[in-house]
Amino acid sequence: MGTAAAARKLASAAAFGGGGLSVLGAGLYGVLVAEAKLARRTIGIITEDPPPDATGWYGRGRPGPAIKIALLGDSSAAGYGVERVEDTPGAHLGSTVAAQANRRVHLREHAVVGAQSSDLASQVDAALATAPHVAVILIGANDVTHTVTPSQSVRHLSEGVRRLRDAGVEVLVGTCPDLGTIKPIAPPLKQVARSWSRRLAAAQTIAVVEAGGRTVSLGSVLGPEFAAAPALLFGPDQFHPSADGYRQLAGVLIPSTLAALGLGPADEELPEAFRGEGVMPVAAAAARAVNVPGTELDGTEVSGSQRGLRGRWVELRRRRRRPGGETESPEESEDGTSPSSEDEGLAETR
């Protein structure tokens, strides 16, 4: 079964309560589960200390009103394994969005190390309380290593995205990375993990777009740089990114975050066919996106209709990564105000 067809079946199972195992085969899924458990034992724990919290203000001295970003998900969003807050994805995201938009940014981190898609509900509750302009979500890898069925994983993600969109929050989801690049997963099961995670990523894409969000593919663990320089871009456990790896992760997310906010560069307003961009049905676009890291999908219309004979129309974009500049340390508050009064100021800017 092709990736597009498999993704449609997984997304459909998530929407209507099916188990989703038929897409992979129960035997194949069981093999992946066993290998995932072995990989978890191999990876172990590199530190019991939580990663630095990237919550705070970025772009000090830049004009307002502030852009409010909520960062949700698992250890990849939290920056597990780094010691400096400047090395976390949140700090890279907040700093670069502030610089490229020339606006103040307040980023609030809700990501939790070890989180699964089922944990998104509580993170969404916390995010909605602060009325962010955009929520960036990274989730899915822990579902694989904890035997969560694909349809359950996609269902939880879809519900979280829909709640955020119903509240008027823009949503960007970085889809499940290619777990076939993880060193503790050895061949031939490495190939199984690659196929499984790509199909999950495609199903996540369909579900997120149907719920009103947009996605960006993380592909082969955030880009070909990881395959070319694993010693540099993976941390000591060979599972989580290193400080340089998290910078690459943020580099994938930032262009699509700006686009979700309506702050993308003027020269990227329209798709460019020579770069492989264009409009197509969501399942076909999702299957294409998993093979090219940084591919963004967002719902669109054709002749005034959101759907064609082959499903939801989407716009496929491959946005350019631009220099991020220096990453800032977050400020706890602006101009010496207390955190509580700062939150009141945030609410007024929305």
Side-chain angles (χ1 to χ4, degrees), residues 130-328:
T130 65
H133 295 110
V134 62
V136 179
I137 303 174
L138 300 174
I139 202 78
N142 289 320
D143 292 33
V144 176
T145 62
H146 288 78
T147 71
V148 179
T149 60
S151 62
Q152 288 177 320
S153 175
V154 172
R155 187 182 308 123
H156 289 304
L157 175 59
S158 177
E159 290 172 354
V161 172
R162 198 173 301 280
R163 289 180 58 204
L164 289 162
R165 292 296 297 128
D166 286 347
V169 181
E170 297 295 333
V171 179
L172 172 67
V173 174
T175 56
C176 184
D178 181 355
L179 298 180
T181 63
I182 304 302
K183 280 195 170 183
I185 300 180
L189 296 178
K190 182 182 292 288
Q191 286 71 35
V192 174
R194 170 168 287 117
S195 175
W196 191 91
S197 53
R198 286 185 176 186
R199 288 183 175 185
L200 175 58
Q204 287 179 322
T205 298
I206 295 173
V208 169
V209 171
E210 292 285 1
R214 73 177 67 201
T215 63
V216 61
S217 168
L218 301 186
S220 54
V221 191
L222 322 180
E225 297 92 346
F226 277 76
L232 176 65
L233 297 174
F234 279 112
D237 63 357
Q238 295 297 293
F239 183 82
H240 294 93
S242 65
D244 287 329
Y246 283 124
R247 181 180 291 275
Q248 295 287 348
L249 163 59
V252 173
L253 297 172
I254 289 163
S256 294
T257 302
L258 288 165
L261 291 164
L263 298 172
D267 61 357
E268 291 187 1
E269 289 184 2
L270 298 176
E272 298 174 327
F274 73 92
R275 301 185 70 238
E277 299 181 337
V279 175
M280 62 189 67
V282 63
R288 185 176 297 187
V290 298
N291 294 315
V292 183
T295 302
E296 175 194 308
L297 297 185
D298 187 26
T300 190
E301 295 183 356
V302 174
S303 301
S305 177
Q306 292 185 346
R307 295 183 176 277
L309 293 176
R310 296 171 61 192
R312 184 77 162 85
W313 291 113
V314 298
E315 192 173 79
L316 184 152
R317 305 296 298 270
R318 291 175 177 142
R319 300 188 185 276
R320 295 174 177 86
R321 302 187 203 180
R322 300 173 189 264
E326 185 177 353
T327 302
E328 306 174 32

Side-chain angles (χ1 to χ4, degrees), residues 21-90:
L21 285 182
S22 59
V23 173
L24 302 171
L28 180 58
Y29 183 76
V31 167
L32 181 58
V33 165
E35 178 63 23
K37 290 180 178 179
L38 177 60
R40 285 171 58 195
R41 289 197 295 271
T42 302
I43 292 165
I45 299 175
I46 59 174
T47 176
E48 294 183 355
D49 297 327
D53 189 348
T55 295
W57 288 91
Y58 297 87
R60 192 172 181 84
R62 297 184 184 276
I67 298 168
K68 295 174 289 179
I69 301 174
L71 183 58
L72 291 71
D74 55 25
S75 55
S76 61
Y80 179 72
V82 301
E83 297 180 354
R84 302 191 317 143
V85 68
E86 296 89 348
D87 292 328
T88 61

Side-chain angles (χ1 to χ4, degrees), residues 69-116:
I69 301 174
L71 183 58
L72 291 71
D74 55 25
S75 55
S76 61
Y80 179 72
V82 301
E83 297 180 354
R84 302 191 317 143
V85 68
E86 296 89 348
D87 292 328
T88 61
H92 293 311
L93 183 64
S95 299
T96 308
V97 169
Q100 295 190 9
N102 193 31
R103 292 267 296 278
R104 291 180 298 146
V105 167
H106 188 271
L107 182 139
R108 191 176 295 273
E109 186 178 300
H110 304 283
V112 177
V113 174
Q116 301 172 39

